[in-house]
Amino acid sequence: MKFPGTNKCTDKIQQLSDFIDLSKSIVAITGAGISVSSGGMTYLQMAISNRRAGVTPRAGDSYSSFLPTYLDNMFSYVPSYAHYALTELEKEEKLIGVITTNVDCMHTIAVTKNVAEIQGSLQVNCCSKCGQHYDGYEIWKQKELPICESCGGEILPWPLYSHIGLWDADVRKARDWISKADLILVIGTQGNYGGVYWDYRRKDAIIVQINPGHTGFDHVANLNIHEGSDEVFEKLNKKRGTNV
């Protein structure tokens, strides 16, 4: 399938609309920027901060400080307009998957079905003692540290439990999806994670970056839209006649 050239039209939203209409398989890559308008901080930031300080959530004071600084904040906000816009593209059977480094579960809460959380998330939780899994973000809505039913060990989310390691099952999904995508939407992220999944992309895929700032994607994208993701998708959906 041949996409129109990016120099044919000065209206970038129209170009993006044309790309989406012609595409058979879209993959979205998202980073913290897609959640900015929701008002929350990313768990990755919290995990890095705790790791540098040598702190992990525990039943004592450290957990008491962890809960209000991240978890209470996270569950007080909702997915952004852009999160929901991606869900609509999935319902149209245009979007085959979302690849994200975010761990805030906002894509899942927005009811996007195919999400590869390559660094895990609050949906992937392990007992720090026996390794039993307690998957699903709802466990973090309680106001105390969750304890393993089998051994009494502390349950920790994957990014902290693994020291911000990769979640292999979702890395495999990311590689599969990006190898099939003819259109890649890069939304609010700084890095492409090279050999983790980016190097598996189709070499003829069109790349569109949506980010108010400049990143390393500026030089590889076929189309750069330097605006916020909510603003872009609001304009896009108005042009395409799509409701979110």
mmCIF file of all heavy atoms in Angstrom, residues 42-52 55-57 66 70-71 74 100-105 117-126 133-135 140 155-167:
data_model
loop_
_atom_site.group_PDB
_atom_site.id
_atom_site.type_symbol
_atom_site.label_atom_id
_atom_site.label_comp_id
_atom_site.label_asym_id
_atom_site.label_seq_id
_atom_site.Cartn_x
_atom_site.Cartn_y
_atom_site.Cartn_z
ATOM 1 N N THR A 42 4.266 9.211 36.721
ATOM 2 C CA THR A 42 4.434 7.830 36.316
ATOM 3 C C THR A 42 5.074 7.013 37.431
ATOM 4 O O THR A 42 5.883 7.508 38.203
ATOM 5 C CB THR A 42 5.328 7.707 35.066
ATOM 6 O OG1 THR A 42 6.649 8.116 35.396
ATOM 7 C CG2 THR A 42 4.789 8.570 33.937
ATOM 8 N N TYR A 43 4.699 5.750 37.505
ATOM 9 C CA TYR A 43 5.282 4.874 38.520
ATOM 10 C C TYR A 43 6.770 4.665 38.279
ATOM 11 O O TYR A 43 7.536 4.442 39.207
ATOM 12 C CB TYR A 43 4.563 3.526 38.539
ATOM 13 C CG TYR A 43 5.045 2.646 39.651
ATOM 14 C CD1 TYR A 43 4.744 2.953 40.963
ATOM 15 C CD2 TYR A 43 5.842 1.537 39.386
ATOM 16 C CE1 TYR A 43 5.201 2.171 41.991
ATOM 17 C CE2 TYR A 43 6.303 0.749 40.414
ATOM 18 C CZ TYR A 43 5.981 1.063 41.725
ATOM 19 O OH TYR A 43 6.459 0.286 42.739
ATOM 20 N N LEU A 44 7.185 4.759 37.025
ATOM 21 C CA LEU A 44 8.602 4.610 36.728
ATOM 22 C C LEU A 44 9.412 5.659 37.473
ATOM 23 O O LEU A 44 10.462 5.356 38.033
ATOM 24 C CB LEU A 44 8.837 4.744 35.218
ATOM 25 C CG LEU A 44 10.287 4.618 34.740
ATOM 26 C CD1 LEU A 44 10.872 3.284 35.150
ATOM 27 C CD2 LEU A 44 10.361 4.801 33.238
ATOM 28 N N GLN A 45 8.928 6.901 37.508
ATOM 29 C CA GLN A 45 9.622 7.952 38.243
ATOM 30 C C GLN A 45 9.724 7.590 39.724
ATOM 31 O O GLN A 45 10.762 7.782 40.352
ATOM 32 C CB GLN A 45 8.881 9.278 38.074
ATOM 33 C CG GLN A 45 8.909 9.830 36.662
ATOM 34 C CD GLN A 45 7.977 11.006 36.494
ATOM 35 O OE1 GLN A 45 6.893 11.044 37.079
ATOM 36 N NE2 GLN A 45 8.378 11.974 35.708
ATOM 37 N N MET A 46 8.629 7.077 40.268
ATOM 38 C CA MET A 46 8.621 6.704 41.672
ATOM 39 C C MET A 46 9.569 5.544 41.934
ATOM 40 O O MET A 46 10.306 5.525 42.922
ATOM 41 C CB MET A 46 7.198 6.317 42.097
ATOM 42 C CG MET A 46 7.042 6.081 43.578
ATOM 43 S SD MET A 46 7.292 7.567 44.544
ATOM 44 C CE MET A 46 7.386 6.831 46.190
ATOM 45 N N ALA A 47 9.572 4.560 41.046
ATOM 46 C CA ALA A 47 10.427 3.392 41.228
ATOM 47 C C ALA A 47 11.897 3.776 41.169
ATOM 48 O O ALA A 47 12.716 3.301 41.964
ATOM 49 C CB ALA A 47 10.109 2.337 40.169
ATOM 50 N N ILE A 48 12.257 4.663 40.216
ATOM 51 C CA ILE A 48 13.647 5.106 40.108
ATOM 52 C C ILE A 48 14.065 5.846 41.367
ATOM 53 O O ILE A 48 15.149 5.629 41.918
ATOM 54 C CB ILE A 48 13.833 5.991 38.866
ATOM 55 C CG1 ILE A 48 13.691 5.151 37.601
ATOM 56 C CG2 ILE A 48 15.198 6.679 38.890
ATOM 57 C CD1 ILE A 48 13.686 5.974 36.324
ATOM 58 N N SER A 49 13.194 6.715 41.836
ATOM 59 C CA SER A 49 13.499 7.485 43.041
ATOM 60 C C SER A 49 13.710 6.579 44.239
ATOM 61 O O SER A 49 14.653 6.733 45.014
ATOM 62 C CB SER A 49 12.358 8.471 43.319
ATOM 63 O OG SER A 49 12.570 9.161 44.520
ATOM 64 N N ASN A 50 12.824 5.585 44.397
ATOM 65 C CA ASN A 50 12.948 4.658 45.523
ATOM 66 C C ASN A 50 14.202 3.807 45.410
ATOM 67 O O ASN A 50 14.894 3.551 46.408
ATOM 68 C CB ASN A 50 11.720 3.743 45.582
ATOM 69 C CG ASN A 50 10.527 4.448 46.187
ATOM 70 O OD1 ASN A 50 10.654 5.490 46.796
ATOM 71 N ND2 ASN A 50 9.350 3.868 46.002
ATOM 72 N N ARG A 51 14.520 3.375 44.183
ATOM 73 C CA ARG A 51 15.698 2.533 44.010
ATOM 74 C C ARG A 51 16.972 3.304 44.361
ATOM 75 O O ARG A 51 17.865 2.781 45.027
ATOM 76 C CB ARG A 51 15.770 2.009 42.575
ATOM 77 C CG ARG A 51 16.925 1.023 42.362
ATOM 78 C CD ARG A 51 16.920 0.455 40.964
ATOM 79 N NE ARG A 51 17.205 1.455 39.961
ATOM 80 C CZ ARG A 51 17.443 1.175 38.690
ATOM 81 N NH1 ARG A 51 17.385 -0.069 38.261
ATOM 82 N NH2 ARG A 51 17.706 2.135 37.826
ATOM 83 N N ARG A 52 17.053 4.558 43.910
ATOM 84 C CA ARG A 52 18.241 5.362 44.198
ATOM 85 C C ARG A 52 18.392 5.608 45.698
ATOM 86 O O ARG A 52 19.490 5.697 46.223
ATOM 87 C CB ARG A 52 18.153 6.696 43.452
ATOM 88 C CG ARG A 52 18.382 6.567 41.947
ATOM 89 C CD ARG A 52 18.152 7.879 41.241
ATOM 90 N NE ARG A 52 18.441 7.777 39.812
ATOM 91 C CZ ARG A 52 18.151 8.713 38.922
ATOM 92 N NH1 ARG A 52 17.534 9.825 39.301
ATOM 93 N NH2 ARG A 52 18.451 8.534 37.649
ATOM 94 N N VAL A 55 15.087 2.443 48.942
ATOM 95 C CA VAL A 55 13.825 2.260 49.655
ATOM 96 C C VAL A 55 12.891 1.373 48.844
ATOM 97 O O VAL A 55 12.792 1.507 47.634
ATOM 98 C CB VAL A 55 13.143 3.629 49.896
ATOM 99 C CG1 VAL A 55 11.764 3.434 50.523
ATOM 100 C CG2 VAL A 55 14.017 4.501 50.772
ATOM 101 N N THR A 56 12.201 0.449 49.504
ATOM 102 C CA THR A 56 11.125 -0.313 48.877
ATOM 103 C C THR A 56 9.889 -0.178 49.751
ATOM 104 O O THR A 56 9.988 0.047 50.957
ATOM 105 C CB THR A 56 11.489 -1.810 48.742
ATOM 106 O OG1 THR A 56 11.791 -2.339 50.031
ATOM 107 C CG2 THR A 56 12.665 -1.998 47.823
ATOM 108 N N PRO A 57 8.703 -0.285 49.186
ATOM 109 C CA PRO A 57 7.483 -0.217 49.989
ATOM 110 C C PRO A 57 7.458 -1.337 51.023
ATOM 111 O O PRO A 57 7.605 -2.501 50.682
ATOM 112 C CB PRO A 57 6.368 -0.401 48.952
ATOM 113 C CG PRO A 57 6.987 -0.067 47.652
ATOM 114 C CD PRO A 57 8.418 -0.476 47.768
ATOM 115 N N PHE A 66 5.204 5.946 50.622
ATOM 116 C CA PHE A 66 5.051 5.537 49.224
ATOM 117 C C PHE A 66 3.605 5.669 48.757
ATOM 118 O O PHE A 66 3.330 6.151 47.670
ATOM 119 C CB PHE A 66 5.524 4.089 49.078
ATOM 120 C CG PHE A 66 5.143 3.417 47.781
ATOM 121 C CD1 PHE A 66 5.890 3.625 46.637
ATOM 122 C CD2 PHE A 66 4.048 2.565 47.720
ATOM 123 C CE1 PHE A 66 5.549 2.996 45.446
ATOM 124 C CE2 PHE A 66 3.702 1.931 46.537
ATOM 125 C CZ PHE A 66 4.460 2.152 45.403
ATOM 126 N N TYR A 70 2.439 8.248 45.490
ATOM 127 C CA TYR A 70 2.163 7.719 44.161
ATOM 128 C C TYR A 70 0.772 7.125 44.012
ATOM 129 O O TYR A 70 0.000 7.554 43.168
ATOM 130 C CB TYR A 70 3.184 6.674 43.717
ATOM 131 C CG TYR A 70 2.815 6.210 42.332
ATOM 132 C CD1 TYR A 70 2.962 7.066 41.252
ATOM 133 C CD2 TYR A 70 2.198 4.987 42.116
ATOM 134 C CE1 TYR A 70 2.542 6.719 39.989
ATOM 135 C CE2 TYR A 70 1.773 4.630 40.855
ATOM 136 C CZ TYR A 70 1.949 5.492 39.793
ATOM 137 O OH TYR A 70 1.511 5.129 38.555
ATOM 138 N N LEU A 71 0.434 6.146 44.812
ATOM 139 C CA LEU A 71 -0.773 5.378 44.560
ATOM 140 C C LEU A 71 -2.046 6.207 44.717
ATOM 141 O O LEU A 71 -2.947 6.135 43.886
ATOM 142 C CB LEU A 71 -0.818 4.161 45.483
ATOM 143 C CG LEU A 71 0.271 3.120 45.230
ATOM 144 C CD1 LEU A 71 0.157 1.978 46.218
ATOM 145 C CD2 LEU A 71 0.185 2.582 43.817
ATOM 146 N N MET A 74 -2.263 8.349 41.679
ATOM 147 C CA MET A 74 -2.584 7.659 40.437
ATOM 148 C C MET A 74 -4.074 7.378 40.310
ATOM 149 O O MET A 74 -4.693 7.640 39.288
ATOM 150 C CB MET A 74 -1.818 6.353 40.342
ATOM 151 C CG MET A 74 -2.262 5.489 39.169
ATOM 152 S SD MET A 74 -1.419 3.910 39.113
ATOM 153 C CE MET A 74 -2.690 2.919 38.321
ATOM 154 N N THR A 100 3.903 0.441 25.396
ATOM 155 C CA THR A 100 4.111 1.545 26.323
ATOM 156 C C THR A 100 5.167 1.224 27.371
ATOM 157 O O THR A 100 5.336 0.067 27.760
ATOM 158 C CB THR A 100 2.785 1.928 27.015
ATOM 159 O OG1 THR A 100 2.963 3.132 27.768
ATOM 160 C CG2 THR A 100 2.280 0.820 27.925
ATOM 161 N N THR A 101 5.867 2.263 27.791
ATOM 162 C CA THR A 101 6.762 2.162 28.946
ATOM 163 C C THR A 101 6.066 2.662 30.199
ATOM 164 O O THR A 101 6.639 2.617 31.285
ATOM 165 C CB THR A 101 8.047 2.984 28.721
ATOM 166 O OG1 THR A 101 7.698 4.329 28.358
ATOM 167 C CG2 THR A 101 8.902 2.370 27.630
ATOM 168 N N ASN A 102 4.847 3.150 30.054
ATOM 169 C CA ASN A 102 4.091 3.627 31.218
ATOM 170 C C ASN A 102 3.632 2.445 32.053
ATOM 171 O O ASN A 102 3.321 1.377 31.533
ATOM 172 C CB ASN A 102 2.874 4.438 30.769
ATOM 173 C CG ASN A 102 3.270 5.728 30.067
ATOM 174 O OD1 ASN A 102 4.408 6.182 30.177
ATOM 175 N ND2 ASN A 102 2.333 6.320 29.349
ATOM 176 N N VAL A 103 3.560 2.671 33.347
ATOM 177 C CA VAL A 103 3.156 1.593 34.255
ATOM 178 C C VAL A 103 1.898 1.953 35.028
ATOM 179 O O VAL A 103 1.538 1.283 35.991
ATOM 180 C CB VAL A 103 4.303 1.258 35.234
ATOM 181 C CG1 VAL A 103 5.497 0.697 34.488
ATOM 182 C CG2 VAL A 103 4.716 2.479 36.047
ATOM 183 N N ASP A 104 1.199 3.014 34.573
ATOM 184 C CA ASP A 104 0.051 3.527 35.317
ATOM 185 C C ASP A 104 -1.277 2.869 34.948
ATOM 186 O O ASP A 104 -2.323 3.228 35.487
ATOM 187 C CB ASP A 104 -0.062 5.045 35.157
ATOM 188 C CG ASP A 104 -0.214 5.496 33.696
ATOM 189 O OD1 ASP A 104 -0.412 4.626 32.812
ATOM 190 O OD2 ASP A 104 -0.107 6.711 33.444
ATOM 191 N N CYS A 105 -1.262 1.923 34.040
ATOM 192 C CA CYS A 105 -2.454 1.136 33.665
ATOM 193 C C CYS A 105 -3.530 1.952 32.965
ATOM 194 O O CYS A 105 -4.659 1.472 32.778
ATOM 195 C CB CYS A 105 -3.081 0.447 34.887
ATOM 196 S SG CYS A 105 -1.935 -0.515 35.871
ATOM 197 N N GLU A 117 2.901 -3.664 27.932
ATOM 198 C CA GLU A 117 3.576 -2.848 28.943
ATOM 199 C C GLU A 117 4.976 -3.439 29.122
ATOM 200 O O GLU A 117 5.185 -4.324 29.939
ATOM 201 C CB GLU A 117 2.784 -2.861 30.247
ATOM 202 C CG GLU A 117 1.407 -2.247 30.100
ATOM 203 C CD GLU A 117 0.492 -2.506 31.291
ATOM 204 O OE1 GLU A 117 0.507 -3.640 31.826
ATOM 205 O OE2 GLU A 117 -0.233 -1.580 31.677
ATOM 206 N N ILE A 118 5.932 -2.942 28.354
ATOM 207 C CA ILE A 118 7.212 -3.633 28.241
ATOM 208 C C ILE A 118 8.047 -3.565 29.519
ATOM 209 O O ILE A 118 8.976 -4.362 29.684
ATOM 210 C CB ILE A 118 8.037 -3.125 27.046
ATOM 211 C CG1 ILE A 118 8.411 -1.652 27.199
ATOM 212 C CG2 ILE A 118 7.291 -3.381 25.742
ATOM 213 C CD1 ILE A 118 9.418 -1.180 26.168
ATOM 214 N N GLN A 119 7.730 -2.643 30.429
ATOM 215 C CA GLN A 119 8.421 -2.604 31.713
ATOM 216 C C GLN A 119 7.503 -3.036 32.846
ATOM 217 O O GLN A 119 7.752 -2.728 34.006
ATOM 218 C CB GLN A 119 8.964 -1.201 31.979
ATOM 219 C CG GLN A 119 10.111 -0.837 31.046
ATOM 220 C CD GLN A 119 10.699 0.539 31.338
ATOM 221 O OE1 GLN A 119 9.991 1.483 31.644
ATOM 222 N NE2 GLN A 119 12.002 0.634 31.242
ATOM 223 N N GLY A 120 6.464 -3.795 32.485
ATOM 224 C CA GLY A 120 5.507 -4.211 33.495
ATOM 225 C C GLY A 120 4.660 -3.025 33.933
ATOM 226 O O GLY A 120 4.710 -1.951 33.349
ATOM 227 N N SER A 121 3.857 -3.243 34.976
ATOM 228 C CA SER A 121 2.995 -2.174 35.464
ATOM 229 C C SER A 121 2.433 -2.583 36.815
ATOM 230 O O SER A 121 2.780 -3.627 37.368
ATOM 231 C CB SER A 121 1.849 -1.908 34.486
ATOM 232 O OG SER A 121 0.912 -2.962 34.535
ATOM 233 N N LEU A 122 1.510 -1.773 37.304
ATOM 234 C CA LEU A 122 0.813 -2.120 38.534
ATOM 235 C C LEU A 122 -0.175 -3.260 38.330
ATOM 236 O O LEU A 122 -0.854 -3.671 39.261
ATOM 237 C CB LEU A 122 0.079 -0.893 39.078
ATOM 238 C CG LEU A 122 0.985 0.215 39.627
ATOM 239 C CD1 LEU A 122 0.162 1.428 39.991
ATOM 240 C CD2 LEU A 122 1.780 -0.263 40.820
ATOM 241 N N GLN A 123 -0.240 -3.776 37.112
ATOM 242 C CA GLN A 123 -1.066 -4.963 36.850
ATOM 243 C C GLN A 123 -0.278 -6.250 37.032
ATOM 244 O O GLN A 123 -0.865 -7.329 37.053
ATOM 245 C CB GLN A 123 -1.614 -4.925 35.420
ATOM 246 C CG GLN A 123 -2.460 -3.716 35.120
ATOM 247 C CD GLN A 123 -3.134 -3.827 33.780
ATOM 248 O OE1 GLN A 123 -4.227 -4.365 33.669
ATOM 249 N NE2 GLN A 123 -2.491 -3.317 32.752
ATOM 250 N N VAL A 124 1.041 -6.147 37.108
ATOM 251 C CA VAL A 124 1.909 -7.320 37.230
ATOM 252 C C VAL A 124 2.574 -7.252 38.595
ATOM 253 O O VAL A 124 3.480 -6.448 38.829
ATOM 254 C CB VAL A 124 2.968 -7.360 36.116
ATOM 255 C CG1 VAL A 124 3.806 -8.628 36.225
ATOM 256 C CG2 VAL A 124 2.314 -7.269 34.750
ATOM 257 N N ASN A 125 2.119 -8.094 39.525
ATOM 258 C CA ASN A 125 2.567 -8.021 40.904
ATOM 259 C C ASN A 125 3.020 -9.390 41.405
ATOM 260 O O ASN A 125 2.409 -10.411 41.094
ATOM 261 C CB ASN A 125 1.435 -7.506 41.800
ATOM 262 C CG ASN A 125 0.818 -6.226 41.258
ATOM 263 O OD1 ASN A 125 1.462 -5.201 41.170
ATOM 264 N ND2 ASN A 125 -0.460 -6.300 40.873
ATOM 265 N N CYS A 126 4.106 -9.384 42.171
ATOM 266 C CA CYS A 126 4.674 -10.632 42.678
ATOM 267 C C CYS A 126 4.876 -10.558 44.183
ATOM 268 O O CYS A 126 5.208 -9.493 44.727
ATOM 269 C CB CYS A 126 6.040 -10.906 42.048
ATOM 270 S SG CYS A 126 6.022 -11.367 40.327
ATOM 271 N N HIS A 133 2.096 -14.712 41.792
ATOM 272 C CA HIS A 133 1.586 -13.526 41.109
ATOM 273 C C HIS A 133 0.204 -13.127 41.613
ATOM 274 O O HIS A 133 -0.641 -13.969 41.905
ATOM 275 C CB HIS A 133 1.517 -13.774 39.596
ATOM 276 C CG HIS A 133 2.768 -13.375 38.885
ATOM 277 N ND1 HIS A 133 2.893 -12.179 38.219
ATOM 278 C CD2 HIS A 133 3.958 -14.007 38.766
ATOM 279 C CE1 HIS A 133 4.116 -12.102 37.704
ATOM 280 N NE2 HIS A 133 4.773 -13.192 38.017
ATOM 281 N N TYR A 134 0.007 -11.810 41.696
ATOM 282 C CA TYR A 134 -1.289 -11.225 42.005
ATOM 283 C C TYR A 134 -1.527 -10.141 40.968
ATOM 284 O O TYR A 134 -1.264 -8.961 41.194
ATOM 285 C CB TYR A 134 -1.291 -10.636 43.420
ATOM 286 C CG TYR A 134 -1.227 -11.679 44.521
ATOM 287 C CD1 TYR A 134 -0.003 -12.207 44.931
ATOM 288 C CD2 TYR A 134 -2.386 -12.144 45.121
ATOM 289 C CE1 TYR A 134 0.057 -13.169 45.934
ATOM 290 C CE2 TYR A 134 -2.337 -13.103 46.125
ATOM 291 C CZ TYR A 134 -1.111 -13.603 46.525
ATOM 292 O OH TYR A 134 -1.065 -14.568 47.511
ATOM 293 N N ASP A 135 -1.993 -10.538 39.797
ATOM 294 C CA ASP A 135 -2.084 -9.597 38.690
ATOM 295 C C ASP A 135 -3.408 -8.844 38.693
ATOM 296 O O ASP A 135 -4.449 -9.381 39.076
ATOM 297 C CB ASP A 135 -1.877 -10.321 37.360
ATOM 298 C CG ASP A 135 -0.447 -10.840 37.228
ATOM 299 O OD1 ASP A 135 0.420 -10.381 37.988
ATOM 300 O OD2 ASP A 135 -0.206 -11.705 36.363
ATOM 301 N N TRP A 140 -3.921 -2.428 44.349
ATOM 302 C CA TRP A 140 -3.256 -1.237 44.876
ATOM 303 C C TRP A 140 -4.234 -0.166 45.320
ATOM 304 O O TRP A 140 -3.826 0.901 45.779
ATOM 305 C CB TRP A 140 -2.284 -0.685 43.840
ATOM 306 C CG TRP A 140 -1.195 -1.666 43.553
ATOM 307 C CD1 TRP A 140 -1.048 -2.442 42.442
ATOM 308 C CD2 TRP A 140 -0.118 -2.013 44.420
ATOM 309 N NE1 TRP A 140 0.049 -3.244 42.562
ATOM 310 C CE2 TRP A 140 0.643 -3.007 43.765
ATOM 311 C CE3 TRP A 140 0.271 -1.581 45.684
ATOM 312 C CZ2 TRP A 140 1.772 -3.575 44.346
ATOM 313 C CZ3 TRP A 140 1.396 -2.149 46.267
ATOM 314 C CH2 TRP A 140 2.132 -3.132 45.597
ATOM 315 N N ILE A 155 3.674 -8.108 48.764
ATOM 316 C CA ILE A 155 3.437 -8.094 47.327
ATOM 317 C C ILE A 155 3.944 -6.775 46.765
ATOM 318 O O ILE A 155 3.593 -5.704 47.262
ATOM 319 C CB ILE A 155 1.940 -8.277 47.016
ATOM 320 C CG1 ILE A 155 1.458 -9.633 47.552
ATOM 321 C CG2 ILE A 155 1.691 -8.168 45.516
ATOM 322 C CD1 ILE A 155 -0.043 -9.812 47.500
ATOM 323 N N LEU A 156 4.778 -6.863 45.738
ATOM 324 C CA LEU A 156 5.354 -5.671 45.120
ATOM 325 C C LEU A 156 5.032 -5.655 43.626
ATOM 326 O O LEU A 156 4.941 -6.702 42.993
ATOM 327 C CB LEU A 156 6.878 -5.648 45.309
ATOM 328 C CG LEU A 156 7.404 -5.598 46.745
ATOM 329 C CD1 LEU A 156 8.926 -5.636 46.735
ATOM 330 C CD2 LEU A 156 6.913 -4.359 47.470
ATOM 331 N N PRO A 157 4.864 -4.468 43.043
ATOM 332 C CA PRO A 157 4.633 -4.373 41.600
ATOM 333 C C PRO A 157 5.897 -4.687 40.820
ATOM 334 O O PRO A 157 7.014 -4.449 41.293
ATOM 335 C CB PRO A 157 4.195 -2.924 41.398
ATOM 336 C CG PRO A 157 4.839 -2.189 42.522
ATOM 337 C CD PRO A 157 4.848 -3.139 43.690
ATOM 338 N N TRP A 158 5.729 -5.212 39.605
ATOM 339 C CA TRP A 158 6.842 -5.683 38.797
ATOM 340 C C TRP A 158 7.972 -4.663 38.615
ATOM 341 O O TRP A 158 9.147 -5.018 38.775
ATOM 342 C CB TRP A 158 6.351 -6.168 37.440
ATOM 343 C CG TRP A 158 7.460 -6.491 36.494
ATOM 344 C CD1 TRP A 158 7.965 -5.716 35.501
ATOM 345 C CD2 TRP A 158 8.249 -7.687 36.482
ATOM 346 N NE1 TRP A 158 9.001 -6.341 34.853
ATOM 347 C CE2 TRP A 158 9.201 -7.562 35.453
ATOM 348 C CE3 TRP A 158 8.246 -8.856 37.243
ATOM 349 C CZ2 TRP A 158 10.127 -8.549 35.159
ATOM 350 C CZ3 TRP A 158 9.167 -9.843 36.947
ATOM 351 C CH2 TRP A 158 10.089 -9.684 35.918
ATOM 352 N N PRO A 159 7.690 -3.395 38.269
ATOM 353 C CA PRO A 159 8.813 -2.476 38.044
ATOM 354 C C PRO A 159 9.722 -2.344 39.253
ATOM 355 O O PRO A 159 10.939 -2.203 39.118
ATOM 356 C CB PRO A 159 8.120 -1.142 37.720
ATOM 357 C CG PRO A 159 6.792 -1.553 37.180
ATOM 358 C CD PRO A 159 6.397 -2.757 37.980
ATOM 359 N N LEU A 160 9.153 -2.396 40.455
ATOM 360 C CA LEU A 160 9.970 -2.312 41.663
ATOM 361 C C LEU A 160 10.595 -3.661 41.988
ATOM 362 O O LEU A 160 11.778 -3.760 42.299
ATOM 363 C CB LEU A 160 9.108 -1.830 42.824
ATOM 364 C CG LEU A 160 9.860 -1.442 44.098
ATOM 365 C CD1 LEU A 160 10.759 -0.244 43.841
ATOM 366 C CD2 LEU A 160 8.883 -1.149 45.220
ATOM 367 N N TYR A 161 9.795 -4.729 41.872
ATOM 368 C CA TYR A 161 10.257 -6.081 42.169
ATOM 369 C C TYR A 161 11.417 -6.472 41.263
ATOM 370 O O TYR A 161 12.356 -7.142 41.680
ATOM 371 C CB TYR A 161 9.084 -7.042 41.978
ATOM 372 C CG TYR A 161 9.372 -8.490 42.303
ATOM 373 C CD1 TYR A 161 9.319 -8.967 43.614
ATOM 374 C CD2 TYR A 161 9.672 -9.399 41.295
ATOM 375 C CE1 TYR A 161 9.563 -10.302 43.907
ATOM 376 C CE2 TYR A 161 9.915 -10.734 41.573
ATOM 377 C CZ TYR A 161 9.862 -11.180 42.888
ATOM 378 O OH TYR A 161 10.115 -12.501 43.165
ATOM 379 N N SER A 162 11.359 -6.039 40.006
ATOM 380 C CA SER A 162 12.372 -6.430 39.022
ATOM 381 C C SER A 162 13.471 -5.383 38.851
ATOM 382 O O SER A 162 14.321 -5.528 37.981
ATOM 383 C CB SER A 162 11.705 -6.638 37.657
ATOM 384 O OG SER A 162 11.235 -5.403 37.140
ATOM 385 N N HIS A 163 13.436 -4.322 39.663
ATOM 386 C CA HIS A 163 14.381 -3.205 39.513
ATOM 387 C C HIS A 163 14.268 -2.591 38.113
ATOM 388 O O HIS A 163 15.253 -2.353 37.428
ATOM 389 C CB HIS A 163 15.813 -3.656 39.801
ATOM 390 C CG HIS A 163 15.975 -4.262 41.153
ATOM 391 N ND1 HIS A 163 15.864 -3.538 42.314
ATOM 392 C CD2 HIS A 163 16.202 -5.551 41.538
ATOM 393 C CE1 HIS A 163 16.036 -4.352 43.360
ATOM 394 N NE2 HIS A 163 16.234 -5.564 42.915
ATOM 395 N N ILE A 164 13.016 -2.349 37.715
ATOM 396 C CA ILE A 164 12.669 -1.740 36.426
ATOM 397 C C ILE A 164 13.190 -2.590 35.269
ATOM 398 O O ILE A 164 13.741 -2.089 34.298
ATOM 399 C CB ILE A 164 13.174 -0.284 36.330
ATOM 400 C CG1 ILE A 164 12.937 0.450 37.654
ATOM 401 C CG2 ILE A 164 12.422 0.461 35.231
ATOM 402 C CD1 ILE A 164 13.402 1.870 37.653
ATOM 403 N N GLY A 165 12.982 -3.893 35.389
ATOM 404 C CA GLY A 165 13.376 -4.791 34.306
ATOM 405 C C GLY A 165 12.299 -4.870 33.239
ATOM 406 O O GLY A 165 11.231 -4.269 33.349
ATOM 407 N N LEU A 166 12.577 -5.614 32.190
ATOM 408 C CA LEU A 166 11.626 -5.783 31.094
ATOM 409 C C LEU A 166 10.676 -6.943 31.384
ATOM 410 O O LEU A 166 11.071 -7.958 31.958
ATOM 411 C CB LEU A 166 12.372 -6.035 29.787
ATOM 412 C CG LEU A 166 13.229 -4.880 29.269
ATOM 413 C CD1 LEU A 166 14.046 -5.345 28.071
ATOM 414 C CD2 LEU A 166 12.369 -3.689 28.888
ATOM 415 N N TRP A 167 9.420 -6.775 30.968
ATOM 416 C CA TRP A 167 8.416 -7.823 31.086
ATOM 417 C C TRP A 167 8.414 -8.583 29.773
ATOM 418 O O TRP A 167 7.875 -8.143 28.772
ATOM 419 C CB TRP A 167 7.065 -7.209 31.396
ATOM 420 C CG TRP A 167 5.954 -8.172 31.645
ATOM 421 C CD1 TRP A 167 4.769 -8.245 30.980
ATOM 422 C CD2 TRP A 167 5.905 -9.205 32.636
ATOM 423 N NE1 TRP A 167 3.977 -9.257 31.484
ATOM 424 C CE2 TRP A 167 4.661 -9.870 32.505
ATOM 425 C CE3 TRP A 167 6.791 -9.653 33.619
ATOM 426 C CZ2 TRP A 167 4.289 -10.933 33.318
ATOM 427 C CZ3 TRP A 167 6.426 -10.710 34.431
ATOM 428 C CH2 TRP A 167 5.188 -11.342 34.275
#
